[in-house]
Amino acid sequence: MTSKTYESVLLELALEDPRVVVMTAENRAAIRGLPAKLGPRFIDVGIAEQTMVGAAAGLALRGRVPVVHALATFLVLRAFEFIRTDVGIPGLPVKLVGGVPGVLSDGNGPTHQAIEDIGVLRGIPGMQIVCPADEVELLAMLPEVVRSPRPVYVRYNAAPAAVEHSEAFAFGKAEVLSQGRDVTLLTYGYLVREVWKARALLADKGISARVVNLRSLAPIDEAALLAAAAETELVVAVEDHFAIGGLASIFAEVLLRHGKTCRFASFAFDGRWFRPALLPDVLAHERLDAAGIAARVIERLEARK
């Protein structure tokens, strides 16, 4: 166990590098203690995501490394033009930290559901996108995120450890959590924990599942995706995102680029929002909990027999 938190690691990085500036659009939940420690290097613009991103771009042009925080859906959508034009086109090292992405917005309505954020931002050339499975992975990738010379979007997730991580984080490198021959479960972010539990349920049924944690979605680990397509009977993308634009689309693009094909299923939101509820109820209703994922995999495998 570590006593470190997102706030403490970000503070360490800021103290090591005087260029780091922490910004927020009145979203201080994970960084409440930083204003007193960083003084003028902590900037809260209020509920004004566009202003924040524009100011961050200006600071980056003056040699700073801004780390900005807001709710994911408002950061990505409300400020998209500023992200694209002010940050993306010049390729500035602004770090975009989106809170409560995907199903983590649980009890809030569709206005707060960032389930298109990856599809929107990966269209910006040079944008890096990372999706930690838990707090352990978030803290492990944070130094690389801050030190990257490129813009980075982080799907913030500080949930308790989902799995035991054995591979060091690197942009463009997936983490293979288990090997398997029958099905590969591709996933990222909060759903890693549910997929990992689903693997055990499938094992009880005699089904061998490979689990791949795609913590870096841009750049993506193409070798891991191609191996999944070639070496397992079925590949499933499990994500709290629209099927369009997310991992399902990324996987299809990679296979098409390399002239490959495979049996594939997407467990995602297909043209609809998810029903707000407490997180366990959302997962159960959408069949994105371990039991639902395992049952859906079995259905796909049996459909071919």
Side-chain angles (χ1 to χ4, degrees), residues 4 8-20 38 41 143 146-147:
K4 290 188 175 182
S8 68
V9 173
L10 183 55
L11 177 62
E12 287 176 7
L13 294 168
L15 295 178
E16 290 171 5
D17 187 347
R19 299 176 305 155
V20 174
L38 293 181
R41 291 168 60 198
V146 172
R147 292 166 188 157

Side-chain angles (χ1 to χ4, degrees), residues 39-239:
R41 291 168 60 198
F42 184 96
I43 302 169
D44 189 338
V45 302
I47 305 175
E49 292 84 0
Q50 295 165 320
T51 298
M52 178 177 64
V53 173
L59 287 166
L61 285 170
R62 301 299 296 173
R64 306 300 194 272
V65 179
V67 184
V68 308
H69 303 79
L71 296 184
T73 189
F74 304 125
L75 175 62
V76 172
L77 300 181
R78 184 175 294 159
F80 176 72
E81 182 187 357
F82 293 77
I83 295 171
R84 173 193 178 273
T85 304
D86 296 352
V87 174
I89 291 176
L92 297 174
V94 175
K95 318 307 172 185
L96 307 160
V97 181
V100 294
V103 292
L104 292 180
S105 65
D106 57 2
N108 295 298
T111 55
H112 285 62
Q113 293 174 7
I115 55 176
E116 69 279 89
D117 52 341
I118 293 162
V120 169
L121 289 182
R122 75 183 186 90
I124 299 176
M127 178 66 69
Q128 297 176 312
I129 299 174
V130 294
C131 307
D134 47 44
E135 185 179 42
V136 173
E137 195 160 69
L138 173 66
L139 303 188
M141 65 174 56
L142 190 55
E144 298 303 315
V145 167
V146 172
R147 292 166 188 157
S148 172
R150 294 162 59 177
V152 185
Y153 173 60
V154 180
R155 251 191 169 207
Y156 181 88
N157 173 20
V163 296
E164 184 175 343
H165 300 284
S166 59
E167 299 182 28
F169 172 79
F171 285 105
K173 180 63 176 173
E175 180 184 37
V176 180
L177 294 171
S178 68
Q179 294 291 348
R181 64 185 180 278
D182 297 320
V183 61
T184 295
L185 301 173
L186 305 174
T187 192
Y188 58 85
Y190 187 80
L191 292 183
V192 168
R193 70 189 58 244
E194 298 301 325
V195 167
W196 185 246
K197 289 184 285 189
R199 176 204 60 83
L201 296 176
L202 291 168
D204 290 341
K205 299 292 186 179
I207 297 170
S208 172
R210 178 181 305 186
V211 175
V212 182
N213 172 20
L214 289 158
R215 48 200 178 175
S216 170
L217 289 181
I220 194 76
D221 190 337
E222 294 198 1
L225 300 185
L226 293 170
E231 298 169 5
T232 52
E233 180 183 343
L234 172 69
V235 177
V236 180
V238 184
E239 56 185 326

